[in-house]
């Protein structure tokens, strides 16, 4: 196992940081590593917001399900799927472009998330921990206001960076399922009930499978924050769907 793969295996989310600041050099290196990510047509259909305003960090911590550690991050980056910048550029040279559609958005979301993962891997190689925040998708109206987001821009994820405490370093990484449940050969396979039980026991207690699965469903999938996320995504999608074919 080489060093890069070893770091991928060891990397886990970090939510408690030391007081050590991230140097300007390392921050720049992480940002430049993000931009080296592959993207559709080499268009970089994303924009990265570097959140340096402490008050904005606190606002984001509240909007993103009241998670105080967000405000304590030594570096906070928001990755935006950006269909606006190319659209504006086309307008400015009289191209008469169509409005971006949902396909364009999904392509931009992929670009943004690939760049985000590049940043995560780069940070890990420097001994800097990170945590993805999906809740940045929630609160569409407030997020648009806070970040000045135009119609054709969508926040795909937020990353919080900092040096992990010893407790975080020593904390066991959550288990992952066996590859046979994730990798399907040639076509998609739906699992039967027994296969589902075998699969999800990396996360769900097998002896109490029904009870554990029900609790997880209620805590995550049926939760208020999950419903709000879907509502917000619908709001973000409206500009992309107004000229639906």
């Amino acid at each position: 196992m080489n060093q890069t793969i070893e770091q991928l295996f060891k990397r886990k989310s970090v939510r408690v940081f030391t007081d050590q600041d991230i140097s300007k050099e390392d921050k720049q290196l992480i940002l430049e590593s993000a931009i080296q990510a592959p993207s559709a047509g080499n268009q970089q259909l994303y924009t990265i917001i570097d959140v340096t305003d402490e008050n904005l960090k606190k606002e984001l911590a509240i909007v993103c399900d009241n998670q105080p550690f967000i405000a304590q991050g030594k570096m906070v980056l928001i990755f935006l799927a950006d269909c606006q910048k190319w659209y504006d550029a086309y307008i400015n040279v009289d191209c008469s472009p169509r409005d971006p559609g949902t396909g364009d958005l999904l392509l931009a979301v992929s670009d943004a998330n690939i760049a985000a993962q590049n940043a995560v891997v780069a940070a890990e190689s420097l001994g800097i921990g990170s945590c993805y925040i999906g809740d940045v998708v929630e609160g569409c109206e407030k997020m648009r206001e806070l970040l000045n987001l135009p119609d054709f821009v969508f926040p795909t994820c937020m990353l919080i960076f900092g040096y992990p405490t010893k407790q975080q370093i020593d904390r066991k990484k959550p288990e992952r399922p066996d590859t046979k449940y994730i990798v399907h050969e040639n076509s998609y396979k739906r699992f039967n009930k027994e296969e589902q039980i075998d699969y999800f026991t990396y996360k769900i207690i097998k002896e109490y499978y029904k009870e554990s699965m029900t609790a997880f469903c209620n805590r995550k999938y049926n939760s208020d924050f999950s419903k709000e996320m879907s509502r917000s995504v619908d709001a973000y999608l409206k500009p992309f769907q107004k000229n639906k074919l």
Side-chain angles (χ1 to χ4, degrees), residues 138-244:
E138 297 175 38
C140 168
E141 296 77 15
K142 183 63 175 178
M143 203 63 67
R144 278 177 167 164
E145 176 189 337
L146 285 174
L147 304 178
N148 191 33
L149 302 181
D151 279 352
F152 300 125
V153 173
F154 170 72
T156 66
C157 68
M158 179 161 61
L159 280 170
I160 316 302
F161 296 90
Y163 287 95
T165 62
K166 186 177 186 305
Q167 181 273 335
Q168 290 284 289
I169 293 171
D170 294 341
R171 179 175 56 86
K172 183 182 177 183
K173 178 176 178 172
E175 290 185 34
R176 299 295 193 263
D178 191 292
T179 54
K180 69 181 180 181
Y181 295 114
I182 301 295
V183 182
H184 299 193
E185 187 171 359
N186 295 323
S187 64
Y188 186 86
K189 176 187 176 184
R190 294 184 73 173
F191 300 134
N192 61 38
K193 187 172 181 180
E194 289 305 313
E195 289 171 325
Q196 289 169 358
I197 292 172
D198 286 341
Y199 171 13
F200 289 112
T201 48
Y202 82 95
K203 196 172 186 68
I204 304 296
I205 301 171
K206 190 169 186 176
E207 290 76 11
Y208 307 99
Y209 182 80
K210 183 177 180 179
E211 296 86 346
S212 298
M213 183 62 80
T214 301
F216 192 80
C217 179
N218 291 334
R219 182 166 61 89
K220 287 283 189 181
Y221 192 71
N222 286 339
S223 66
D224 288 341
F225 79 79
S226 184
K227 294 173 185 175
E228 164 55 24
M229 188 174 291
S230 290
R231 185 207 67 81
S232 276
V233 170
D234 284 342
Y236 279 118
L237 282 174
K238 284 180 182 177
F240 293 90
Q241 295 178 319
K242 60 184 178 183
N243 293 323
K244 186 185 295 184

Side-chain angles (χ1 to χ4, degrees), residues 9 11 27 87 118 148 204 231:
F9 272 70
R11 189 266 165 193
K27 179 177 181 177
Y87 181 77
N118 257 31
N148 191 33
I204 304 296
R231 185 207 67 81

